[in-house]
Amino acid sequence: MDWDFYGQHLIPALNDGLWISILLILPSATGGLALGILTGTIRTFGPPWLKRIGNFYAGIFRGTPLVVQLFILYFGLPNIGIYLSPYAAAVTGFILCSGAYQSEYIRGGLSAIKRGQLMAAKSLGFSSTGSIFWIVLPQAMRRALPGCGNEIIYLIKYSSLAYIITCIEITGQARDVATTYFRFTESFFVAGLYYLALVSIAGIALGKLEKKLYIPGFGKQH
Amino acid sequence: MNNNVATVLQITDIHKVLGGKEILRGVSMTVDKGELKILIGPSGGGKSTLLQCINFLLPPDQGRIFLDGSEVHFHKKAELYRYRQQVGMIFQDFNLFDHLNALDNVSIALRKVKKIHKAEAGDRAYHELERVGLSDKTDLYPAELSGGQKQRVSIARALAMDPKVILLDEPTSALDPELIGEVLRVIVDLARSGMTMIMATHQIGYVKSLTNEILFMENGRIIEHGPPEKLLSADADTRCRGFCEMLKDLVREP
């Protein structure tokens, strides 16, 4: 076994990429979730015109390939005078795409909440926004959590597309090493292990969160 | 007429159309401080719709509502929210907030609507739960409470807001028979302590002695009203008495 290849080339390169990947994933996951909560709420409770905008956005970003979205953000926007760095373009694309998917899960969670919850909140003097924020959303989030977590797992893996617009993260680094040393199998196999580790950590964290937010009557019994 | 008794709530000529059907066809009533009014009548008669209209959970198509003599302009949001804080609502199926324990169910509106500090709101909530006999259940979530306990929490939740009047929409009809008593006892205590209430119910026997007026609703109108001794006396020839006799026959044990 050629340990020097791993120790001196592949692993250091992948560790550099790992750092970039984490910098891509963290803001994209939180931003995507926040955008998804906002869009999902608008699509459920918003006034008709705002609902239409929300549906249109979700339709576009769920209906086109992420690669195409990234190409438009990175190569297309300069045509109208907007220049994004590879990193900024990737994070923007991931947030927009993830937000569209998250809004679907949130919407599902919101529509599972009984109408009586909203009526009770209003009868106590809550405003419409207040009753959604304090009463309906906290319940909907708990119902949507497994789906939202799943989307974050997906995001970790599709963050690998960033290398296509020259934001060199794990996959980009693996590809560079692979082509330089002509060792594709090992490079991508180890890169795969990096993603597996990231996904496993995320899975454990989400499981902990689900347990922490557990309330009798919601979701699975512990 | 006793001029010392203040009118708390006055509603005049409420109309409401739902799904193309006229559910309320001009309902008026006046509720004085400390009164218990009972709404009774066949289902579909408009009792529930009326209570929801009084709280503007369903905006009336026509008609006016006055609280303490001043008209409620429900199109003005701030005024509507202020009004609802003063008019408690108890629902047939409780509608406790499923993600909050009993204490937080009672205190959340104090904290988020009335902006009362958390500790103070918690104390008040505990006090109200104590009042309905649930001081040992403060940490339990709705899924862990019986139906009767849930309804008592929801009464505590309404009481914590210091309402001027409480609307009760068949508060015991979703309960198992053995749990009805504990909820009715709380309601009787409230009536005795002078709380102003309008209650839609079929459990009339229990509260009859405390009832100031029975309003019999059918087809979207109050067709009979009067004190129970008048409407339900043995020689009264009223729709209401006929209806109540029928109810009695239905629940009579073999």
Side-chain angles (χ1 to χ4, degrees):
Chain A
M1 201 93 182
D2 176 7
W3 291 110
D4 279 358
F5 166 70
Y6 291 97
Q8 290 179 11
H9 303 296
L10 185 58
I11 301 297
L14 289 181
N15 285 348
D16 287 350
L18 174 65
W19 182 234
I20 302 294
S21 283
I22 289 170
L23 286 181
L24 283 167
I25 291 162
L26 286 181
S28 302
T30 44
L33 186 60
L35 182 62
I37 292 171
L38 184 70
T39 313
T41 309
I42 284 172
R43 292 175 69 198
T44 313
F45 294 112
W49 63 274
L50 210 54
K51 255 185 205 174
R52 270 198 293 277
I53 295 176
N55 289 338
F56 180 75
Y57 151 71
I60 293 290
F61 281 87
R62 293 200 313 138
T64 55
L66 178 57
V67 183
V68 173
Q69 294 163 21
L70 292 176
F71 279 165
I72 289 174
L73 285 168
Y74 186 61
F75 297 114
L77 286 186
N79 289 330
I80 56 166
I82 299 171
Y83 294 86
L84 295 178
S85 70
Y87 174 76
V91 170
T92 309
F94 293 159
I95 288 178
L96 288 172
C97 177
S98 188
Y101 282 106
Q102 294 286 27
S103 80
E104 282 293 299
Y105 294 116
I106 301 291
R107 210 164 60 95
L110 284 170
S111 53
I113 306 303
K114 292 188 292 284
R115 221 178 71 84
Q117 297 284 309
L118 210 52
M119 293 206 332
K122 288 189 172 169
S123 79
L124 289 163
F126 278 94
S127 64
S128 304
T129 321
S131 29
I132 290 168
F133 188 80
W134 294 111
I135 306 300
V136 182
L137 261 182
Q139 297 182 36
M141 282 308 298
R142 286 185 168 82
R143 299 212 185 276
L145 198 60
C148 293
N150 198 35
E151 170 56 24
I152 289 173
I153 303 285
Y154 273 129
L155 168 72
I156 291 173
K157 291 181 293 173
Y158 64 62
S159 73
S160 62
L161 289 175
Y163 93 90
I164 294 179
I165 55 169
T166 72
C167 180
I168 304 304
E169 37 62 81
I170 296 174
T171 312
Q173 293 286 5
R175 190 168 163 273
D176 283 354
V177 173
T179 46
T180 308
Y181 299 92
F182 212 71
R183 299 176 75 153
F184 287 89
T185 313
E186 300 99 312
S187 302
F188 286 116
F189 181 78
V190 179
L193 291 180
Y194 271 66
Y195 283 106
L196 189 60
L198 284 176
V199 167
S200 304
I201 291 166
I204 291 166
L206 287 163
K208 284 229 164 86
L209 183 67
E210 225 170 295
K211 230 173 229 163
K212 190 173 147 58
L213 293 178
Y214 171 74
I215 279 174
F218 282 88
K220 66 166 184 264
Q221 309 291 312
H222 290 280
Chain B
M1 223 23 213
N2 185 351
N3 289 323
N4 293 328
V5 176
T7 294
V8 175
L9 190 74
Q10 188 188 359
I11 69 173
T12 58
D13 200 29
I14 299 285
H15 287 257
K16 181 68 187 176
V17 175
L18 282 176
K21 191 168 173 275
E22 197 172 13
I23 306 291
L24 298 178
R25 312 163 180 244
V27 177
S28 303
M29 69 163 93
T30 303
V31 186
D32 289 339
K33 191 163 168 36
E35 272 194 316
L36 169 61
K37 301 249 187 202
I38 298 291
L39 280 176
I40 194 167
S43 56
K47 304 183 297 287
S48 190
T49 308
L50 174 63
L51 291 178
Q52 291 189 29
C53 276
I54 294 178
N55 208 353
F56 300 103
L57 288 173
L58 289 170
D61 298 331
Q62 193 189 316
R64 302 163 77 184
I65 294 178
F66 301 82
L67 183 71
D68 281 343
S70 51
E71 182 163 8
V72 184
H73 303 95
F74 70 92
H75 291 296
K76 293 182 187 154
K77 284 190 173 171
E79 194 175 327
L80 173 64
Y81 300 152
R82 216 168 31 243
Y83 168 77
R84 282 183 178 150
Q85 291 175 44
Q86 304 172 65
V87 179
M89 182 97 186
I90 304 298
F91 300 89
Q92 185 176 342
D93 43 5
F94 331 124
N95 291 338
L96 288 189
F97 302 132
D98 290 331
H99 64 304
L100 299 175
N101 65 26
L103 191 80
D104 287 337
N105 256 284
V106 180
S107 73
I108 188 163
L110 296 175
R111 287 182 277 129
K112 305 304 178 192
V113 177
K114 289 201 162 178
K115 313 282 183 202
I116 292 174
H117 192 270
K118 191 170 177 175
E120 196 186 329
D123 286 349
R124 178 67 199 268
Y126 181 82
H127 173 77
E128 295 303 342
L129 285 171
E130 205 172 26
R131 187 165 164 187
V132 299
L134 291 173
S135 53
D136 57 336
K137 304 275 189 258
T138 54
D139 292 337
L140 296 186
Y141 286 90
E144 301 169 310
L145 296 169
S146 74
Q149 291 167 342
K150 280 190 227 185
Q151 194 60 296
R152 282 146 70 200
V153 173
S154 97
I155 292 172
R157 179 172 73 177
L159 287 174
M161 300 297 283
D162 287 323
K164 289 182 172 147
V165 53
I166 300 184
L167 315 172
L168 302 101
D169 188 1
E170 305 209 17
T172 55
S173 59
L175 295 174
D176 291 336
E178 72 270 23
L179 302 177
I180 290 175
E182 61 184 78
V183 173
L184 282 177
R185 267 194 295 281
V186 170
I187 294 170
V188 165
D189 282 348
L190 282 182
R192 289 212 177 100
S193 72
M195 177 58 74
T196 313
M197 293 187 279
I198 307 173
M199 173 158 70
T201 185
H202 290 158
Q203 305 286 338
I204 202 161
Y206 214 92
V207 291
K208 199 165 88 181
S209 61
L210 295 159
T211 303
N212 300 79
E213 190 177 38
I214 293 179
L215 308 162
F216 187 81
M217 272 191 90
E218 196 169 41
N219 294 322
R221 285 201 186 89
I222 294 172
I223 58 168
E224 288 169 4
H225 64 96
E229 57 275 16
K230 192 179 133 210
L231 248 57
L232 300 176
S233 71
D235 57 347
D237 180 23
T238 55
R239 271 289 284 125
C240 183
R241 185 171 157 256
F243 184 77
C244 290
E245 292 294 326
M246 191 186 74
L247 285 181
K248 244 188 263 170
D249 287 343
L250 283 176
V251 296
R252 184 171 293 153
E253 297 295 323

Short mmCIF file of all heavy atoms in Angstrom, two decimals, chain A residues 112-155:
data_model
loop_
_atom_site.label_atom_id
_atom_site.label_comp_id
_atom_site.label_asym_id
_atom_site.label_seq_id
_atom_site.Cartn_x
_atom_site.Cartn_y
_atom_site.Cartn_z
N ALA A 112 -50.94 20.04 8.72
CA ALA A 112 -51.36 18.96 9.62
C ALA A 112 -51.89 19.51 10.94
O ALA A 112 -52.45 18.77 11.74
CB ALA A 112 -50.20 18.00 9.88
N ILE A 113 -51.68 20.82 11.18
CA ILE A 113 -52.12 21.39 12.46
C ILE A 113 -53.60 21.71 12.39
O ILE A 113 -54.06 22.34 11.45
CB ILE A 113 -51.32 22.67 12.78
CG1 ILE A 113 -49.81 22.39 12.73
CG2 ILE A 113 -51.71 23.23 14.14
CD1 ILE A 113 -49.32 21.31 13.63
N LYS A 114 -54.33 21.28 13.41
CA LYS A 114 -55.78 21.47 13.40
C LYS A 114 -56.15 22.96 13.44
O LYS A 114 -55.49 23.76 14.08
CB LYS A 114 -56.41 20.74 14.60
CG LYS A 114 -56.30 19.23 14.49
CD LYS A 114 -57.09 18.52 15.59
CE LYS A 114 -56.55 18.71 16.97
NZ LYS A 114 -55.40 18.03 17.41
N ARG A 115 -57.25 23.28 12.76
CA ARG A 115 -57.72 24.66 12.68
C ARG A 115 -58.03 25.23 14.07
O ARG A 115 -57.89 26.42 14.31
CB ARG A 115 -58.98 24.69 11.81
CG ARG A 115 -59.07 25.86 10.86
CD ARG A 115 -60.34 25.73 10.04
NE ARG A 115 -61.54 25.97 10.83
CZ ARG A 115 -62.04 27.19 11.08
NH1 ARG A 115 -61.46 28.24 10.57
NH2 ARG A 115 -63.12 27.34 11.80
N GLY A 116 -58.44 24.35 14.97
CA GLY A 116 -58.81 24.79 16.31
C GLY A 116 -57.66 25.47 17.05
O GLY A 116 -57.89 26.32 17.90
N GLN A 117 -56.43 25.07 16.75
CA GLN A 117 -55.27 25.68 17.40
C GLN A 117 -55.22 27.18 17.09
O GLN A 117 -54.96 28.01 17.94
CB GLN A 117 -53.98 25.00 16.92
CG GLN A 117 -53.90 23.53 17.27
CD GLN A 117 -53.57 23.32 18.73
OE1 GLN A 117 -52.62 23.88 19.25
NE2 GLN A 117 -54.37 22.52 19.41
N LEU A 118 -55.47 27.48 15.82
CA LEU A 118 -55.45 28.88 15.38
C LEU A 118 -56.63 29.64 16.00
O LEU A 118 -56.48 30.79 16.44
CB LEU A 118 -55.54 28.89 13.85
CG LEU A 118 -54.87 30.02 13.09
CD1 LEU A 118 -53.43 30.19 13.51
CD2 LEU A 118 -54.94 29.76 11.60
N MET A 119 -57.78 28.97 16.04
CA MET A 119 -58.96 29.63 16.62
C MET A 119 -58.74 29.93 18.08
O MET A 119 -59.09 31.01 18.57
CB MET A 119 -60.20 28.72 16.47
CG MET A 119 -60.61 28.55 15.03
SD MET A 119 -62.35 28.16 14.74
CE MET A 119 -62.91 27.32 16.16
N ALA A 120 -58.15 28.97 18.82
CA ALA A 120 -57.92 29.18 20.25
C ALA A 120 -56.96 30.35 20.46
O ALA A 120 -57.16 31.19 21.32
CB ALA A 120 -57.36 27.91 20.88
N ALA A 121 -55.91 30.40 19.63
CA ALA A 121 -54.94 31.48 19.77
C ALA A 121 -55.61 32.83 19.51
O ALA A 121 -55.46 33.78 20.28
CB ALA A 121 -53.78 31.27 18.81
N LYS A 122 -56.40 32.89 18.45
CA LYS A 122 -57.07 34.15 18.14
C LYS A 122 -58.04 34.55 19.23
O LYS A 122 -58.18 35.73 19.55
CB LYS A 122 -57.79 34.03 16.79
CG LYS A 122 -56.79 34.00 15.65
CD LYS A 122 -57.46 34.10 14.31
CE LYS A 122 -56.38 34.27 13.24
NZ LYS A 122 -56.92 34.10 11.89
N SER A 123 -58.73 33.55 19.80
CA SER A 123 -59.71 33.87 20.84
C SER A 123 -59.04 34.46 22.08
O SER A 123 -59.70 35.08 22.90
CB SER A 123 -60.53 32.64 21.20
OG SER A 123 -59.79 31.80 22.06
N LEU A 124 -57.73 34.24 22.21
CA LEU A 124 -57.01 34.81 23.36
C LEU A 124 -56.43 36.18 23.05
O LEU A 124 -55.78 36.79 23.88
CB LEU A 124 -55.89 33.88 23.79
CG LEU A 124 -56.33 32.57 24.46
CD1 LEU A 124 -55.20 31.57 24.47
CD2 LEU A 124 -56.82 32.84 25.87
N GLY A 125 -56.63 36.64 21.81
CA GLY A 125 -56.14 37.97 21.45
C GLY A 125 -54.84 37.97 20.68
O GLY A 125 -54.26 39.03 20.45
N PHE A 126 -54.35 36.79 20.29
CA PHE A 126 -53.16 36.76 19.44
C PHE A 126 -53.48 37.36 18.07
O PHE A 126 -54.57 37.14 17.53
CB PHE A 126 -52.70 35.31 19.21
CG PHE A 126 -51.86 34.74 20.31
CD1 PHE A 126 -52.43 34.01 21.33
CD2 PHE A 126 -50.48 34.93 20.31
CE1 PHE A 126 -51.65 33.47 22.36
CE2 PHE A 126 -49.69 34.39 21.33
CZ PHE A 126 -50.29 33.66 22.35
N SER A 127 -52.52 38.10 17.50
CA SER A 127 -52.68 38.55 16.12
C SER A 127 -52.50 37.34 15.20
O SER A 127 -52.05 36.28 15.64
CB SER A 127 -51.63 39.60 15.79
OG SER A 127 -50.35 39.02 15.86
N SER A 128 -52.81 37.51 13.92
CA SER A 128 -52.62 36.39 12.97
C SER A 128 -51.17 35.95 12.96
O SER A 128 -50.87 34.76 13.05
CB SER A 128 -53.05 36.81 11.57
OG SER A 128 -54.37 37.25 11.59
N THR A 129 -50.27 36.92 12.86
CA THR A 129 -48.84 36.59 12.83
C THR A 129 -48.41 35.94 14.14
O THR A 129 -47.69 34.95 14.14
CB THR A 129 -48.00 37.86 12.60
OG1 THR A 129 -48.68 38.69 11.67
CG2 THR A 129 -46.64 37.52 12.08
N GLY A 130 -48.89 36.50 15.24
CA GLY A 130 -48.54 35.97 16.55
C GLY A 130 -49.00 34.53 16.72
O GLY A 130 -48.27 33.70 17.26
N SER A 131 -50.23 34.24 16.28
CA SER A 131 -50.71 32.86 16.46
C SER A 131 -49.94 31.89 15.58
O SER A 131 -49.70 30.76 15.99
CB SER A 131 -52.22 32.74 16.24
OG SER A 131 -52.70 33.68 15.34
N ILE A 132 -49.54 32.32 14.40
CA ILE A 132 -48.74 31.44 13.55
C ILE A 132 -47.36 31.22 14.18
O ILE A 132 -46.89 30.09 14.29
CB ILE A 132 -48.60 32.02 12.13
CG1 ILE A 132 -49.96 31.97 11.42
CG2 ILE A 132 -47.55 31.27 11.33
CD1 ILE A 132 -50.01 32.77 10.14
N PHE A 133 -46.75 32.30 14.64
CA PHE A 133 -45.38 32.22 15.14
C PHE A 133 -45.30 31.45 16.47
O PHE A 133 -44.41 30.63 16.65
CB PHE A 133 -44.81 33.63 15.32
CG PHE A 133 -43.36 33.65 15.64
CD1 PHE A 133 -42.42 33.48 14.62
CD2 PHE A 133 -42.91 33.81 16.94
CE1 PHE A 133 -41.07 33.48 14.91
CE2 PHE A 133 -41.56 33.81 17.24
CZ PHE A 133 -40.63 33.65 16.22
N TRP A 134 -46.22 31.71 17.40
CA TRP A 134 -46.12 31.12 18.73
C TRP A 134 -46.84 29.79 18.87
O TRP A 134 -46.50 28.99 19.73
CB TRP A 134 -46.65 32.09 19.78
CG TRP A 134 -45.84 33.32 19.92
CD1 TRP A 134 -46.19 34.59 19.57
CD2 TRP A 134 -44.49 33.42 20.41
NE1 TRP A 134 -45.16 35.46 19.82
CE2 TRP A 134 -44.11 34.77 20.34
CE3 TRP A 134 -43.58 32.48 20.91
CZ2 TRP A 134 -42.84 35.22 20.74
CZ3 TRP A 134 -42.33 32.93 21.31
CH2 TRP A 134 -41.98 34.29 21.23
N ILE A 135 -47.86 29.59 18.07
CA ILE A 135 -48.69 28.40 18.28
C ILE A 135 -48.55 27.39 17.14
O ILE A 135 -48.27 26.21 17.37
CB ILE A 135 -50.18 28.79 18.43
CG1 ILE A 135 -50.35 29.84 19.54
CG2 ILE A 135 -51.05 27.57 18.68
CD1 ILE A 135 -49.89 29.40 20.91
N VAL A 136 -48.71 27.85 15.91
CA VAL A 136 -48.78 26.89 14.80
C VAL A 136 -47.39 26.42 14.36
O VAL A 136 -47.14 25.22 14.22
CB VAL A 136 -49.57 27.48 13.62
CG1 VAL A 136 -49.69 26.46 12.51
CG2 VAL A 136 -50.96 27.91 14.07
N LEU A 137 -46.47 27.36 14.16
CA LEU A 137 -45.14 26.98 13.67
C LEU A 137 -44.40 26.03 14.61
O LEU A 137 -43.80 25.06 14.13
CB LEU A 137 -44.30 28.23 13.39
CG LEU A 137 -44.21 28.68 11.93
CD1 LEU A 137 -43.30 29.89 11.80
CD2 LEU A 137 -43.73 27.57 11.01
N PRO A 138 -44.39 26.29 15.94
CA PRO A 138 -43.66 25.36 16.80
C PRO A 138 -44.17 23.93 16.68
O PRO A 138 -43.40 22.97 16.80
CB PRO A 138 -43.91 25.90 18.21
CG PRO A 138 -44.26 27.33 18.03
CD PRO A 138 -44.96 27.42 16.70
N GLN A 139 -45.48 23.77 16.43
CA GLN A 139 -46.03 22.43 16.27
C GLN A 139 -45.68 21.88 14.89
O GLN A 139 -45.30 20.72 14.74
CB GLN A 139 -47.55 22.46 16.43
CG GLN A 139 -47.98 22.89 17.82
CD GLN A 139 -49.48 22.86 17.98
OE1 GLN A 139 -50.16 22.00 17.44
NE2 GLN A 139 -50.01 23.81 18.72
N ALA A 140 -45.82 22.73 13.88
CA ALA A 140 -45.54 22.29 12.51
C ALA A 140 -44.07 21.88 12.37
O ALA A 140 -43.75 20.90 11.70
CB ALA A 140 -45.89 23.40 11.52
N MET A 141 -43.17 22.65 13.01
CA MET A 141 -41.75 22.34 12.92
C MET A 141 -41.46 20.94 13.46
O MET A 141 -40.66 20.20 12.90
CB MET A 141 -40.92 23.37 13.72
CG MET A 141 -40.72 24.69 13.02
SD MET A 141 -40.09 24.53 11.36
CE MET A 141 -38.51 23.73 11.68
N ARG A 142 -42.12 20.60 14.56
CA ARG A 142 -41.89 19.27 15.13
C ARG A 142 -42.37 18.18 14.18
O ARG A 142 -41.76 17.13 14.07
CB ARG A 142 -42.58 19.15 16.48
CG ARG A 142 -41.85 19.95 17.54
CD ARG A 142 -42.47 19.75 18.91
NE ARG A 142 -41.60 20.29 19.95
CZ ARG A 142 -41.56 21.58 20.28
NH1 ARG A 142 -42.33 22.45 19.68
NH2 ARG A 142 -40.74 21.99 21.23
N ARG A 143 -43.47 18.44 13.52
CA ARG A 143 -43.97 17.45 12.57
C ARG A 143 -43.10 17.38 11.32
O ARG A 143 -42.97 16.35 10.69
CB ARG A 143 -45.41 17.78 12.16
CG ARG A 143 -46.37 17.78 13.32
CD ARG A 143 -47.77 17.33 12.90
NE ARG A 143 -48.72 17.46 14.00
CZ ARG A 143 -48.88 16.54 14.94
NH1 ARG A 143 -48.17 15.42 14.89
NH2 ARG A 143 -49.73 16.73 15.91
N ALA A 144 -42.51 18.53 10.94
CA ALA A 144 -41.74 18.59 9.70
C ALA A 144 -40.29 18.18 9.89
O ALA A 144 -39.58 17.95 8.92
CB ALA A 144 -41.81 20.00 9.12
N LEU A 145 -39.87 18.07 11.16
CA LEU A 145 -38.45 17.87 11.44
C LEU A 145 -37.81 16.69 10.70
O LEU A 145 -36.72 16.86 10.12
CB LEU A 145 -38.23 17.75 12.95
CG LEU A 145 -36.79 17.97 13.42
CD1 LEU A 145 -36.32 19.36 13.04
CD2 LEU A 145 -36.69 17.77 14.93
N PRO A 146 -38.43 15.50 10.68
CA PRO A 146 -37.78 14.40 9.96
C PRO A 146 -37.54 14.74 8.48
O PRO A 146 -36.47 14.48 7.95
CB PRO A 146 -38.77 13.25 10.10
CG PRO A 146 -39.56 13.57 11.32
CD PRO A 146 -39.66 15.07 11.35
N GLY A 147 -38.51 15.37 7.84
CA GLY A 147 -38.36 15.76 6.44
C GLY A 147 -37.28 16.82 6.27
O GLY A 147 -36.44 16.73 5.36
N CYS A 148 -37.29 17.81 7.14
CA CYS A 148 -36.30 18.88 7.06
C CYS A 148 -34.89 18.32 7.26
O CYS A 148 -33.94 18.72 6.58
CB CYS A 148 -36.58 19.96 8.11
SG CYS A 148 -38.10 20.88 7.81
N GLY A 149 -34.77 17.39 8.20
CA GLY A 149 -33.47 16.77 8.43
C GLY A 149 -33.00 16.02 7.20
O GLY A 149 -31.82 16.07 6.81
N ASN A 150 -33.92 15.33 6.56
CA ASN A 150 -33.62 14.60 5.35
C ASN A 150 -33.08 15.54 4.26
O ASN A 150 -32.11 15.23 3.57
CB ASN A 150 -34.89 13.91 4.86
CG ASN A 150 -34.59 12.80 3.90
OD1 ASN A 150 -33.57 12.13 4.04
ND2 ASN A 150 -35.45 12.63 2.91
N GLU A 151 -33.69 16.70 4.16
CA GLU A 151 -33.25 17.68 3.16
C GLU A 151 -31.83 18.15 3.47
O GLU A 151 -31.03 18.38 2.56
CB GLU A 151 -34.24 18.85 3.11
CG GLU A 151 -33.80 20.06 2.29
CD GLU A 151 -33.47 19.74 0.85
OE1 GLU A 151 -33.96 18.73 0.31
OE2 GLU A 151 -32.66 20.50 0.25
N ILE A 152 -31.51 18.30 4.75
CA ILE A 152 -30.15 18.71 5.12
C ILE A 152 -29.14 17.62 4.74
O ILE A 152 -28.05 17.91 4.24
CB ILE A 152 -30.09 19.05 6.64
CG1 ILE A 152 -30.85 20.36 6.88
CG2 ILE A 152 -28.64 19.17 7.12
CD1 ILE A 152 -31.03 20.74 8.33
N ILE A 153 -29.53 16.37 4.91
CA ILE A 153 -28.67 15.25 4.49
C ILE A 153 -28.43 15.34 2.97
O ILE A 153 -27.31 15.18 2.49
CB ILE A 153 -29.33 13.89 4.83
CG1 ILE A 153 -29.62 13.79 6.32
CG2 ILE A 153 -28.50 12.73 4.32
CD1 ILE A 153 -28.46 13.53 7.22
N TYR A 154 -29.50 15.57 2.23
CA TYR A 154 -29.37 15.74 0.77
C TYR A 154 -28.40 16.88 0.45
O TYR A 154 -27.53 16.76 -0.40
CB TYR A 154 -30.72 16.07 0.12
CG TYR A 154 -31.54 14.87 -0.25
CD1 TYR A 154 -32.87 14.77 0.16
CD2 TYR A 154 -31.02 13.86 -1.04
CE1 TYR A 154 -33.64 13.68 -0.18
CE2 TYR A 154 -31.78 12.76 -1.38
CZ TYR A 154 -33.08 12.67 -0.95
OH TYR A 154 -33.85 11.60 -1.28
N LEU A 155 -28.60 18.00 1.17
CA LEU A 155 -27.79 19.19 0.92
C LEU A 155 -26.30 18.88 1.09
O LEU A 155 -25.47 19.32 0.29
CB LEU A 155 -28.22 20.32 1.86
CG LEU A 155 -27.28 21.53 1.92
CD1 LEU A 155 -27.37 22.33 0.62
CD2 LEU A 155 -27.61 22.42 3.11
#
